[in-house]
């Protein structure tokens, strides 16, 4: 059979579609024969073609992974020596890797103790005097430990002693690489003993990665992920070596001869360390070193004849530019992280001597760096800038808007947009100076220059959104400009930007926009009934702006359009498959619920159905497969399509998957679906009750979702469900409604309180505190009927105020000044805990009081 199988596999590798289809059918028939696995093992051991050998190894592994329990005991035992023999005689790396993965699958089912020959092989080959054998030994070890880490825990101490040796095998970079990969896998499983063994390994780790950089930068970049794992799981290991690690990363980042990926990875490590150990960064006087590396990177001009990506005339969103993965862009993000986690006075004292000369420089890229520095300071240092620097910084930006260099003007627009986003309402005081500049600038841009137009609209939109009545003198000019763009522009990008800007203008102007309302609605309706692909982004933005108008123009004005808007939104969801469009439609539905309230009842069944589908959907999730295996996955699916696979076996089929990613649009869709359902429940009251249980169950299920923004929205929504059910119970106090309300609280509050204590992300905890405050404010003493609940809430708030929660980093460094202790924790406690309305939790059920 082996000879026939080898011929079939060979035909599958030929560039002939008909031959491949024929061979696939033949292979499918061959897999019905129980002797197929031994035959493939024979091919693995004897075929002269490395592609065929790899093909055989992958097919055996996939077969073993899916059908382990169905294999005979003899076959399982006979497979083990074949694998080890193949590893000994194989010289092709890809084949070795596939065989090592086959070994890992066997270990996953058998455990290492049931395969002592494997452990003996690893011990002998990792300590061999032959360099190539050490490579094979470490490849095998890293592969089996990565897939079955838990089963190797009893061997961790032994492995740590081995790693101390293999990290010093500098003449054998692959041994070093596989060692670090294995280390990365075990970090999150280590106990105290292993932590103590690993701590002195850090200096060796730095030297090893430096060695890898000289041989293979991609492998070195991957190896640096060990620091990510250490920072996530065992940050105490690296605290004594913080200065060494920071300087190591800075040296890599500063080396312009290295590739962007490894430099960005190094900057990412520095950024993560700042987030986790900002106080230690200050205490160990690492800030000057960090800034002295970052600033030259930010000031560096692009290669001759090229431009930085954000200065090209592209139509990408501003957010896309901020996330660009180049050393220059990431350096700005590191300064952003410094602003968020260090005392502003200390940061400004070190950054200003670099920023001021740059702003005065004759070099446009140095002026740009100065403006970008100001831009990324806006969020983290907002209060400090308001008090001491707002006027001079705005003066710099306004001057830069007239700079002769487009590069500098772009940076000024971005900085102004950032200040407008994070420094409200103070920045609005300068509207008389800034608005004429922005309007004049907008009028001078060539509309065909999409990228520059985007930056101008970004600054304008952020600035006008919070102007309130101060926008009224500029309203005629603004609306004339926007309506002209909608009616006359041939650029869909300009139309999209104008529609978005109208939403921002409406947020500020509210009823003052009424004279322009009809003209705007005519344009928006035109986009919403046109389902052509080229207008998709304009259509999506129209839905968002329509929702803003529903909230701001006044209920009486918008009410006659509400039913039509509901139908438009539902019709779009039916006919257009686009996560961004669905997201904006859900936001529109939430806004319409403010206008029509319970009258939304006829549409709730369809609306809740589509939103729950978005919440439950796995669309947009991409599995990433091992490079050596993904070639064969499509064929393997064909082979198994007629077989029944148990759920347990299906889980084992994930051996090839190295990770998952989710497109941002689908995450945003889930987030907005949660937000919309929570708001609709509150606004529609009793009409929402038939859908309450299902909606609550699905959203409560994703409160532990991996993505922070989805978790935040889920926690907020379940709080709104509590408020909605309480309101219904007050209007109709039946036993069913009152019991349902208490049942909801009995699930929500324990979840809230546990997450406040255990959650690592501060933003999630902040959202829960706000949501819990809202529930208590609306539901008063009835939310505290459960015995012990008041004490539990008070304990949680006390822990926050005393900075004893996980997200407030209880592992603070030894001795810190009072000023250093205030950083991070002060923002968190001051902005959220002390704003928690304690009167809400003091109203016991026996002493109800209207708030």
């Amino acid at each position: 059979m082996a000879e026939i199988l080898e011929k079939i596999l060979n035909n599958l590798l030929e560039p002939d579609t008909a031959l491949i289809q024929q061979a696939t059918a033949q292979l499918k028939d061959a897999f019905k024969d129980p002797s197929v696995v031994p035959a493939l093992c024979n091919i693995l051991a004897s075929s002269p073609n490395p592609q065929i050998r790899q093909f055989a190894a992958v097919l055996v592994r996939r077969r073993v992974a899916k059908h382990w329990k169905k294999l005979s005991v003899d076959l399982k035992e006979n497979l083990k020596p074949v694998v080890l023999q193949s590893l000994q005689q194989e010289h092709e790396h890809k084949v070795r890797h596939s065989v090592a993965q086959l070994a890992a699958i066997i270990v996953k089912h058998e455990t290492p103790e049931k395969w002592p020959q494997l452990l003996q092989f690893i011990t002998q080959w990792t300590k061999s005097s032959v360099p190539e054998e050490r490579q094979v030994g470490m490849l095998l070890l890293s592969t089996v430990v990565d897939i079955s880490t838990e089963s190797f825990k009893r061997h961790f101490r032994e492995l740590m002693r081995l790693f101390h040796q293999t990290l010093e095998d500098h003449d054998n970079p692959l041994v070093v690489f596989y060692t670090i990969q294995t280390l990365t896998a075990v970090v999150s499983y280590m106990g105290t003993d292993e932590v103590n063994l690993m701590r002195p390994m850090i200096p060796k780790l730095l030297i090893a990665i430096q060695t890898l950089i000289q041989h293979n930068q991609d492998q070195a970049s991957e190896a640096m992920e060990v620091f990510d794992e250490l920072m996530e799981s065992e940050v105490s290991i690296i605290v004594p070596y913080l200065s060494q690690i920071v300087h190591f990363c800075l040296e890599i980042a500063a080396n312009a001869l290295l590739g962007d990926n490894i430099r960005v990875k190094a900057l990412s490590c520095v950024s993560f360390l700042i987030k986790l150990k900002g106080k230690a960064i200050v205490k160990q006087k690492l800030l000057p070193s960090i800034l002295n590396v970052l600033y030259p990177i930010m000031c560096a001009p692009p290669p001759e004849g090229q431009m930085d990506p954000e200065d090209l005339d592209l139509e990408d969103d501003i957010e896309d530019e901020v996330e660009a993965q180049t050393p220059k862009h990431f350096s700005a993000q590191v300064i952003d992280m410094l602003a968020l986690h260090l005392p502003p006075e200390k940061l400004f004292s070190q950054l200003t001597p670099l920023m001021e000369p740059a702003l005065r420089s004759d070099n446009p890229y140095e002026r740009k760096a100065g403006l970008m520095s100001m831009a990324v300071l806006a969020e983290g240092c907002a209060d400090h800038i308001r008090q001491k620097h707002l006027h001079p910084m705005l003066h710099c930006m306004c001057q830069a808007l007239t700079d002769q260099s487009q590069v500098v003007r772009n940076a000024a627009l971005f900085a102004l947009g950032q200040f407008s986003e994070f420094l409200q309402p103070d920045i609005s005081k300068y509207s008389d100076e800034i608005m004429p500049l922005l309007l004049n600038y907008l009028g001078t841009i060539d509309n065909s220059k999409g990228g520059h137009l985007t930056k101008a609209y970004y600054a304008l939109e952020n600035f006008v959104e919070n102007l309130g009545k101060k926008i009224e003198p500029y309203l005629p000019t603004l609306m004339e400009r926007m309506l002209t763009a909608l009616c006359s522009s041939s650029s869909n990008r300009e139309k999209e930007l104008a529609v978005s800007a109208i939403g921002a203008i409406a947020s500020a102007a509210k009823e003052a926009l009424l004279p322009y309302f009809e003209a705007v609605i005519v344009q928006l309706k035109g986009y919403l009934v046109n389902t052509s692909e080229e207008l998709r982004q304009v259509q999506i933005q129209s839905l968002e702006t329509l929702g803003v108008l529903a909230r701001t123009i006044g209920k009486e004005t918008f009410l006659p359009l509400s039913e039509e808007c509901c139908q438009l939104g539902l019709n779009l969801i039916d006919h257009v498959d686009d996560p961004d469009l669905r997201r904006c439609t859900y936001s529109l539905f939430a806004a319409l619920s403010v206008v029509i309230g319970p009258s939304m009842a006829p549409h709730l069944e369809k609306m809740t159905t589509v939103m729950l589908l978005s919440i439950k959907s796995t669309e947009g999730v991409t599995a990433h497969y091992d490079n050596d295996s993904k070639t064969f996955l499509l064929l393997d699916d064909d082979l198994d399509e007629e077989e029944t696979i148990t759920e347990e076996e299906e889980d084992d089929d994930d051996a090839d998957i190295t990770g998952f990613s989710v497109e941002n649009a689908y995450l945003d869709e889930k987030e907005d679906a949660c937000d919309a359902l929570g708001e609709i429940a509150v606004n529609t009251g009793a009409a929402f009750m038939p859908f309450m249980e299902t909606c609550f169950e699905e959203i409560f299920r994703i409160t532990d979702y991996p993505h922070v923004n989805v978790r935040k929205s889920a926690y907020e929504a379940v709080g709104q469900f509590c408020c909605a059910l309480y309101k219904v119970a007050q209007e109709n106090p039946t036993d069913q409604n009152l019991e349902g309300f208490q049942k909801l609280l009995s699930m929500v509050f324990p979840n809230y309180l546990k997450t406040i204590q255990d959650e690592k992300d501060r933003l999630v905890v902040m959202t829960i505190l706000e949501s819990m405050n809202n529930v208590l404010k609306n539901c008063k003493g009835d939310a505290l009927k459960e015995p012990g609940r008041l004490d539990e809430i008070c304990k949680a708030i006390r822990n926050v105020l005393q900075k004893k929660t996980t997200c407030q980093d209880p592992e603070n460094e030894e001795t810190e000044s009072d000023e250093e202790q205030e950083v991070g924790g002060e923002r968190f406690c001051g902005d959220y805990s002390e704003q928690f309305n304690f009167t809400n939790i003091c109203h016991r059920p026996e002493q109800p009081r209207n708030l």
Side-chain angles (χ1 to χ4, degrees), residues 586-737:
Y586 301 158
S587 297
L588 173 61
F589 292 157
L592 291 172
S593 74
V594 176
V595 178
I596 58 178
S599 299
M600 189 177 263
H603 305 294
L604 285 178
E605 182 175 3
K606 188 169 184 181
M607 288 178 179
T608 55
T609 298
V610 295
M611 284 190 257
L612 288 176
L613 286 173
S614 293
I615 288 169
K616 292 186 283 188
S617 171
T618 57
E619 196 175 2
V621 178
T622 303
H624 300 284
Y625 292 92
D626 180 88
N627 286 332
D628 293 344
S629 303
K630 61 186 178 183
T631 310
F632 310 113
L633 291 178
L634 182 60
L635 172 65
D636 191 69
D637 291 339
D638 289 338
L639 296 177
D640 286 325
E641 66 183 7
E642 296 176 2
E643 300 186 35
T644 303
I645 307 295
T646 66
E647 186 174 340
E648 185 177 349
E649 287 170 332
E650 196 170 75
D651 289 342
D652 290 336
D653 192 31
D654 291 343
D656 295 307
I657 298 175
T658 58
F660 293 91
S661 62
V662 187
E663 290 181 44
N664 286 341
Y666 292 96
L667 293 172
D668 294 343
E669 180 187 355
K670 289 182 188 296
E671 181 186 343
D672 284 11
C674 291
D675 292 341
L677 283 170
E679 187 172 2
I680 290 169
V682 171
N683 293 331
T684 58
F688 194 82
M689 289 306 103
F691 317 102
M692 173 66 82
E693 184 175 356
T694 306
C695 291
F696 174 81
E697 287 176 355
E698 291 300 334
I699 292 181
F700 191 73
R701 188 175 286 123
I702 63 167
T703 52
D704 62 350
Y705 197 82
H707 193 268
V708 168
N709 287 344
V710 175
R711 290 209 303 281
K712 285 169 54 185
S713 292
Y715 281 118
E716 189 171 358
V718 296
Q720 287 176 304
F721 288 152
C722 293
C723 296
L725 189 51
Y726 178 76
K727 183 180 175 183
V728 171
Q730 293 301 296
E731 294 169 353
N732 184 20
T734 64
D735 289 345
Q736 183 181 359
N737 286 340

Side-chain angles (χ1 to χ4, degrees), residues 58 109 360 705 763:
V58 170
H109 291 285
R360 293 193 297 266
Y705 197 82
L763 294 176

Side-chain angles (χ1 to χ4, degrees), residues 56-326:
V58 170
L59 289 174
V60 173
R61 174 168 53 81
R62 305 276 302 169
R63 198 70 176 173
V64 167
K66 290 185 176 182
H67 301 286
W68 178 257
K69 290 186 175 181
K70 297 177 183 177
L71 300 179
S72 69
V73 175
D74 287 345
L75 179 55
K76 292 176 183 177
E77 290 304 316
N78 291 336
L79 194 56
K80 296 174 185 177
V82 170
V83 169
L84 297 181
Q85 181 64 37
S86 179
L87 282 168
Q88 288 182 48
Q89 66 185 32
E90 185 58 63
H91 295 286
E92 290 288 336
H93 171 74
K94 286 189 175 183
V95 185
R96 280 177 180 167
H97 193 205
S98 294
V99 175
Q101 288 181 317
L102 172 55
I105 289 297
I106 297 173
V107 171
K108 182 177 180 181
H109 291 285
E110 287 280 80
T111 76
E113 285 64 43
K114 291 183 180 179
W115 192 1
Q117 297 86 352
L118 175 81
L119 295 176
Q120 293 166 10
F121 183 96
I122 289 173
T123 301
Q124 178 183 341
W125 282 56
T126 53
K127 296 178 180 180
S128 169
S129 60
V130 180
E132 191 173 2
E133 289 184 359
R134 295 200 299 277
Q135 289 179 17
V136 174
M138 283 308 304
L139 167 64
L140 179 59
L141 178 62
S142 68
T143 308
V144 295
V145 170
D146 184 50
I147 292 179
S148 304
T149 316
E150 187 80 37
S151 63
F152 276 85
K153 284 188 75 171
R154 62 183 295 179
H155 303 282
F156 276 5
R157 288 174 62 84
E158 208 176 321
L159 290 178
M160 290 296 166
R161 286 191 283 270
L162 172 66
F163 297 157
H164 271 284
Q165 298 172 16
T166 54
L167 279 174
E168 294 182 325
D169 197 351
H170 297 155
D171 294 330
N172 204 335
L174 277 176
V175 169
V176 172
F177 175 62
Y178 294 138
T179 300
I180 298 174
Q181 279 194 315
T182 316
L183 260 175
T184 305
V186 306
V187 163
S188 60
Y189 292 84
M190 290 192 304
T192 305
D193 289 344
E194 291 81 35
V195 166
N196 291 334
L197 284 170
M198 184 172 180
R199 191 173 284 115
M201 205 183 292
I202 299 300
K204 292 184 179 181
L205 201 55
L206 298 178
I207 296 170
I209 293 173
Q210 189 65 57
T211 302
L212 277 180
I213 290 173
Q214 297 167 19
H215 289 87
N216 189 318
Q217 290 184 31
D218 290 337
Q219 286 184 349
S221 182
E222 188 176 340
M224 288 183 74
E225 290 178 13
V226 69
F227 295 128
D228 295 343
E229 198 63 44
L230 285 166
M231 287 184 276
E232 286 278 6
S233 307
E234 294 292 348
V235 70
S236 62
I237 290 177
I238 60 177
V239 168
Y241 303 98
L242 182 67
S243 179
Q244 284 177 254
I245 295 171
V246 168
H247 281 106
F248 171 75
C249 292
L250 292 175
E251 183 181 341
I252 295 170
N255 188 347
L257 297 176
L258 297 177
D260 282 358
N261 288 345
I262 186 77
R263 296 175 70 199
V264 167
K265 185 64 186 176
L267 289 169
S268 173
C269 289
V270 173
S271 182
F272 206 164
L273 285 168
I274 291 165
K275 180 180 179 180
L276 291 175
K277 295 294 171 187
K279 305 177 189 70
I281 295 287
V282 174
K283 183 180 176 182
Q284 297 187 32
K285 296 182 170 53
L286 295 171
L287 180 58
S289 299
I290 293 171
L291 291 175
N292 285 332
V293 167
L294 296 179
Y295 231 75
I297 296 173
M298 291 177 65
C299 291
E304 190 174 351
Q306 298 181 30
M307 298 184 75
D308 289 330
E310 73 274 15
D311 293 319
L312 296 171
D313 186 28
L314 302 173
E315 297 187 352
D316 294 335
D317 288 339
I318 293 289
E319 290 80 4
D320 296 333
E321 294 174 2
V322 175
E323 295 173 2
Q325 298 294 297
T326 67

